[in-house]
Amino acid sequence: MSKLVYEKRGRIAYLTLNRPEAKNAIDPELHELLWQAWEDFRDDDELDLAILGGTGDAFCAGADLKTFIPPWIESATPRKVRDNVATGFGGLTRGLHRIYKPVIAAVNGWALAGGLELALACDIRIASEREMFGSFEARRGYHHGDGGIVRLVNICGAGVALEMLLTAEPIDAQRALQCNMVARVVAHEELMDAAEETARRILRNSQGAVRSAKETILDVIGRPLDDQLRIEALNGYSVADPEETLGLLKRFYDKTDAGRAGSRKNPL
């Protein structure tokens, strides 16, 4: 059985980390499999959205402490470190983070260290009630290097990032919800249904608009206000495809569009 189960069902790609005996820790082989899968997802025009999850009782325990981390400590050269800047952990954290198709994380259990980085690199995180997030690297003598610090600060704020990284203590699903780290917390057995429900809500929309919105959000983070407003205006006023948008507007005018405001007619 592959260490990564990669399936395509309709317009959705499912990527499932499959090393349950190691809490889905990412070794060099799984790292490469993730890169290949994300590249395929990016390039497949039949796919519009991905859901990332894990088998067993963990989402991902991060980098494999026996096979992934020691080579970086023992034999990393300045050239290797520099090259790694373009090839982030698992692909999605850095290097392939500019895939504008939406990615949902279905966090079924522990998301630790690099596993937290993978979850934070997704656009929407839906958590099982059993989920725990943690950054334990400081206990081992290092800290996040693949987007964990950057995304924790951007998503949850410096206070949460400082608490999690400096104490190296985990937080549970409800605390993660309070910190805006996750969008929803659901019963464990309902996790995939909730992720697919969110996926269907995204897929009913114009994918051009969805991808432009994601691109715009990534582009405005950290910029001065005037730059943010300029980028949003440029993207917002140029994204519409005349044929698609005018057709969708006509449905609105004719009151034939499903899911009008205040109604629940639109099937998810």
Side-chain angles (χ1 to χ4, degrees), residues 149-256:
I149 292 176
V150 171
R151 292 189 173 97
L152 265 178
V153 171
N154 287 340
I155 294 168
C156 303
V160 173
L162 286 164
E163 179 187 0
M164 290 187 66
L165 270 65
L166 303 190
T167 66
E169 291 289 342
I171 64 174
D172 63 16
Q174 288 301 322
R175 177 74 194 288
L177 183 64
Q178 294 168 357
C179 295
N180 295 322
M181 189 180 295
V182 300
R184 296 170 62 190
V185 176
V186 300
H188 184 73
E189 61 273 11
E190 297 173 3
L191 178 60
M192 189 52 65
D193 288 341
E196 290 177 334
E197 177 186 35
T198 300
R200 289 191 292 270
R201 291 175 183 235
I202 294 171
L203 293 175
R204 71 187 178 187
N205 299 323
S206 161
Q207 294 309 295
V210 164
R211 295 180 195 182
S212 181
K214 177 176 177 177
E215 179 182 6
T216 303
I217 291 167
L218 293 179
D219 283 348
V220 302
I221 292 172
R223 293 179 182 265
L225 175 61
D226 285 355
D227 289 348
Q228 293 178 323
L229 293 171
R230 192 173 295 111
I231 291 168
E232 180 188 6
L234 176 63
N235 291 355
Y237 279 89
S238 64
V239 66
D241 173 82
E243 182 177 352
E244 178 190 45
T245 301
L246 292 175
L248 292 171
L249 287 173
K250 186 176 187 304
R251 294 183 195 174
F252 173 77
Y253 303 147
D254 296 341
K255 298 184 178 181
T256 60

